[in-house]
Amino acid sequence: MTYNNKWAIKWLTDFSDSVFENKQLLSDLDQAIGDGDHGINMARGLTELKKALAEKEPETVKDAFKTAGMTILSKVGGASGPLYGSAFLAMSKAVETDPLSETDLIEALEAGLAGIEHRGKSHAGEKTMIDVWEPVINALRQDDLTSDVIEAALQKTKDLKATKGRAAYLGDRSVGHLDPGAYSSALLFRAFLAQEDK
């Protein structure tokens, strides 16, 4: 697998398409434990990202991630804009080579996760997108990422009690619902895996 600018653009474009297709589901999940606008916000911002990637055609992975971070920060509303934006900007800063090796890629994703943790002041186990990012990165380190790993991480958020964000106000009532940010992160990593299979 060559992790170059074409790969990054395709991954981000496929992720954008996937969020758009699942816009209603993401908002329905968010309706249960949050503001109900996760799907709408993400779809709006990622439509802009697709446009930006097509117009700018970033020449490096670093630029592709930076374009993603800046666009998401400015165009995605709610809590998810700053979190995903911070992730991709941190990933962009971590990238020093082009194309990336598998190790470079994992280090970039680890930087992205650290960006989310720093911005959200949260960690694994609090029913957030981190609960998908962390197990995915661990599986990548073991060279063992599959769609089952992504799905298992997502499903685990159902049993967690939210202690961060809007869902935290619900306390115990947040248990039994999938976390919408974890769901959109699962879409991100499913799109990533789909590139690997090509």
Side-chain angles (χ1 to χ4, degrees):
M1 188 77 212
T2 309
Y3 300 113
N4 58 12
N5 63 323
K6 286 191 170 56
W7 161 83
I9 292 167
K10 183 85 174 72
W11 174 30
L12 293 165
T13 301
D14 287 359
F15 169 50
S16 302
D17 288 342
S18 182
V19 165
F20 204 80
E21 284 160 21
N22 289 278
K23 178 171 70 169
Q24 191 57 52
L25 172 62
L26 290 170
S27 286
D28 289 348
L29 289 172
D30 198 26
Q31 190 79 51
I33 60 170
D35 294 344
D37 57 1
H38 185 57
I40 296 157
N41 284 338
M42 288 291 288
R44 188 188 303 129
L46 291 173
T47 301
E48 293 300 319
L49 174 57
K50 262 183 82 168
K51 270 192 227 159
L53 291 169
E55 283 164 18
K56 291 181 182 168
E57 286 189 17
E59 290 179 12
T60 62
V61 176
K62 188 180 190 74
D63 285 346
F65 288 164
K66 187 175 181 185
T67 300
M70 299 300 280
T71 308
I72 290 170
L73 261 182
S74 62
K75 303 292 185 188
V76 176
S80 43
L83 293 169
Y84 274 106
S86 297
F88 280 108
L89 286 176
M91 285 164 68
S92 168
K93 283 185 188 139
V95 169
E96 299 294 341
T97 57
D98 205 273
L100 308 189
S101 69
E102 199 149 319
T103 306
D104 296 332
L105 173 67
I106 291 167
E107 284 173 1
L109 287 168
E110 284 171 340
L113 172 58
I116 296 167
E117 290 174 332
H118 180 72
R119 179 46 85 87
K121 299 186 172 41
S122 56
H123 50 79
E126 296 190 295
K127 200 183 187 89
T128 69
M129 58 200 286
I130 292 168
D131 293 304
V132 166
W133 278 69
E134 193 171 274
V136 161
I137 292 168
N138 288 339
L140 276 171
R141 275 201 213 106
Q142 313 289 327
D143 197 20
D144 193 26
L145 182 63
T146 62
S147 53
D148 288 348
V149 169
I150 300 169
E151 188 58 31
L154 171 61
Q155 291 301 327
K156 259 194 179 154
T157 67
K158 196 179 266 189
D159 301 325
L160 295 173
K161 175 177 158 181
T163 54
K164 278 286 179 289
R166 185 60 62 100
Y169 296 124
L170 291 175
D172 291 337
R173 283 180 298 144
S174 65
V175 177
H177 298 282
L178 289 174
D179 179 68
Y183 201 103
S184 56
S185 293
L187 296 178
L188 174 70
F189 290 115
R190 281 180 198 150
F192 170 83
L193 258 192
Q195 312 305 315
E196 303 276 300
D197 295 338
K198 282 175 185 156

